[in-house]
Amino acid sequence: MRFEIMRLDDIDGTAVDSTVVDAASVNRIVQQAAYNGQRIYIRPADIDAAS
């Protein structure tokens, strides 16, 4: 399964950038965001739109 992870702006919460990763990478990215104090939003990637 693939997930879209968006890094959110600290002030207004808008998405600054996004990336699509596999499930195995989600934990590492969440740990990095927590360590750096970043806000992120994670959702399943829309596989149909990518095809």
Side-chain angles (χ1 to χ4, degrees):
M1 182 167 202
R2 297 184 63 79
F3 293 90
E4 179 180 19
I5 300 178
M6 291 174 271
R7 189 168 47 94
L8 305 176
D9 182 78
D10 290 335
I11 296 172
D12 62 8
T14 58
V16 176
D17 62 15
S18 70
T19 188
V20 176
V21 298
D22 60 358
S25 300
V26 172
N27 186 44
R28 177 183 50 82
I29 292 171
V30 168
Q31 288 181 6
Q32 287 176 344
Y35 179 79
N36 294 321
Q38 294 176 326
R39 296 171 54 194
I40 57 174
Y41 177 73
I42 303 170
R43 65 181 180 186
D46 186 4
I47 296 171
D48 294 334
S51 308

